[in-house]
Amino acid sequence: MMTASTPLLFEPIQLRGITLPNRIVIPPMCMYSAEEGFPTDFHMAHLGKFALGGAGMVILEVTAVSRDGRITHGDLGIWDDEHAKRLAPLATFLKSEGSVPAIQIGHSGRKGSMQRPWKGNGPLTPEDIADGDIPWQPEAPSAVPLADGWLTPRELDLDDMKRLRGAFADATKRSVDAGFESVEIHCAHGYLLQTFLSPLGNFRNDAYGGDLEGRMRLSLEIAEDVRAALPDNLPLFVRISSVDAIEGGWEMEDSLTFSRELKARGVDVIDCSSGGQSPKGATNFKLVREPGYQVPYAAQIRREVDITTQAVGLITDPHHAEAILQAGDADLIAIGREALYDPFWPRHAADTFKLDPDFKTWPPQYAWWLEKRAAGQRAPAAS
């Protein structure tokens, strides 16, 4: 039972017909460990521990809506019904342990057909190809590679975009069939949809390029398609790169306009990240990374657009997370790499606030052991 002293971090939040037991979200983090788009035992162990750790929602890593929409050969996919069947046990387990199971769907764009990060995080090399990672031609709004040495993508035509819209809608239906209770569209980090949005990647002169309205068109159409394919009681998230952090790129005013348009189309949560229009990784290397460095984006969108936002970016301390919520800067707190370091961060955060000294909210398989451990620690020392 919640009391007046319960931290906001541990207050439930309702999003349409779904209630998260707390405000802590595990955001999508690519593991590059799938086989032909299918999850492996690694994924069950990797994702399952976050549910055991007490997160209110666990969002599956970006899952490709088409084979050519993968980033690497190790990406998860949901372009086939069999993918959904193999993903279903993940959703079932997450829910059984009290977390809301969610999935991010997306397309790699001109970052497709690249190395796994631990192999170099760049274009495929002859050595990679010899090891079986056969390249494919990426797709993008314009036939402009990410950087020198990267594959030149094929420019999408209008028929391609119609196909792509169908792929996102079909992926949404498969996600629901698999048991996921929320879908997030990936419009960030230099992948296909964000490349359409940004003037640094979109050089088209048709209805899907040019001014902001044109560059937003495909992402907004896909948001409409996904919302239509998603049951009314399930929330829709969109992850954005709030800024490119590169001169001449996507700016915060663009994100405010985009967020208003997304809200008008039934999007429930804006997940506020940044960067990506460079080959340096998910976030642009010019951004100054410090605790909560992306929180101001979530705060501004929340206040000016009046929409639920998710803050992410080096939020590692429970008191910091609580302060963000208390200030009204965001509604949800996403912990990514910190959760890799400490999968039980939500339960340890509860301990920080002395919410569960008797381990009543822990999985019973753990709780009875931990209660005995605590009792031993409290016992007086033998004289």
Side-chain angles (χ1 to χ4, degrees), residues 103-117:
I103 186 170
Q104 184 186 73
I105 58 175
H107 187 294
S108 58
R110 63 182 182 176
K111 284 187 171 180
S113 190
M114 64 178 284
Q115 296 171 314
R116 292 168 175 84

Side-chain angles (χ1 to χ4, degrees), residues 20-324:
L20 279 63
N22 57 54
R23 309 298 182 93
I24 303 167
V25 176
I26 305 300
M29 290 181 283
C30 289
M31 293 290 109
Y32 307 105
S33 298
E35 296 176 358
E36 290 300 315
F38 293 107
T40 64
D41 290 345
F42 172 87
H43 292 90
M44 181 63 81
H46 164 65
L47 293 161
K49 65 180 183 284
F50 298 134
L52 293 171
M57 173 180 275
V58 178
I59 308 178
L60 209 63
E61 64 192 77
V62 62
T63 306
V65 300
S66 67
R67 182 181 295 276
D68 289 348
R70 294 175 296 168
I71 306 165
T72 76
H73 280 273
D75 283 29
L76 286 175
I78 196 161
W79 64 81
D80 187 273
D81 291 346
E82 190 61 31
H83 287 121
K85 292 178 184 177
R86 296 271 292 273
L87 290 168
L90 288 168
T92 298
F93 183 79
L94 294 175
K95 187 170 183 178
S96 74
E97 294 298 329
S99 296
V100 173
I103 186 170
Q104 184 186 73
I105 58 175
H107 187 294
S108 58
R110 63 182 182 176
K111 284 187 171 180
S113 190
M114 64 178 284
Q115 296 171 314
R116 292 168 175 84
W118 54 86
K119 289 190 173 183
N121 208 29
L124 291 171
T125 66
E127 291 76 18
D128 297 318
I129 296 169
D131 286 341
D133 282 357
I134 306 303
W136 64 88
Q137 186 175 30
E139 300 173 326
S142 302
V144 178
L146 179 66
D148 291 343
W150 289 70
L151 293 175
T152 298
R154 181 177 66 84
E155 181 173 312
L156 294 175
D157 62 26
L158 297 183
D159 287 338
D160 291 326
M161 284 185 276
K162 183 178 180 180
R163 168 181 54 81
L164 188 67
R165 290 178 60 183
F168 271 89
D170 289 343
T172 302
K173 294 171 187 174
R174 293 188 186 106
S175 297
V176 174
D177 289 344
F180 293 99
E181 295 182 336
S182 180
V183 169
E184 177 171 271
I185 304 170
H186 200 350
C187 288
H189 300 167
Y191 299 119
L192 182 68
L193 295 184
Q194 202 241 342
T195 308
F196 264 93
L197 292 168
S198 174
L200 298 177
N202 186 340
F203 303 98
R204 304 176 71 96
N205 55 16
D206 63 3
Y208 290 89
D211 61 10
L212 180 60
E213 181 180 2
R215 287 183 279 113
M216 291 192 303
R217 189 180 306 277
L218 180 61
S219 296
L220 294 177
E221 288 176 344
I222 286 174
E224 292 174 356
D225 296 333
V226 171
R227 181 69 269 174
L230 199 60
D232 288 343
N233 67 313
L234 300 185
L236 175 57
F237 287 49
V238 174
R239 171 164 272 200
I240 67 169
S241 280
S242 304
V243 296
D244 278 334
I246 302 173
E247 185 177 354
W250 181 265
E251 301 287 356
M252 193 61 198
E253 285 302 317
D254 301 322
S255 285
L256 291 169
T257 300
F258 186 44
S259 297
R260 292 185 187 100
E261 295 295 333
L262 290 170
K263 179 183 177 182
R265 287 160 175 80
V267 170
D268 301 288
V269 180
I270 306 297
D271 180 3
C272 302
S273 188
S274 62
Q277 289 291 354
S278 79
K280 295 293 184 180
T283 53
N284 189 277
F285 69 102
K286 291 184 179 179
L287 293 167
V288 178
R289 300 187 188 189
E290 57 188 11
Y293 71 104
Q294 295 175 142
V295 171
Y297 309 138
Q300 188 174 355
I301 290 173
R302 185 178 189 268
R303 293 190 176 100
E304 296 191 27
V305 182
D306 190 24
I307 191 170
T308 300
T309 61
Q310 178 166 292
V312 62
L314 293 182
I315 302 169
T316 62
D317 180 80
H319 293 289
H320 182 203
E322 177 67 11
I324 293 166

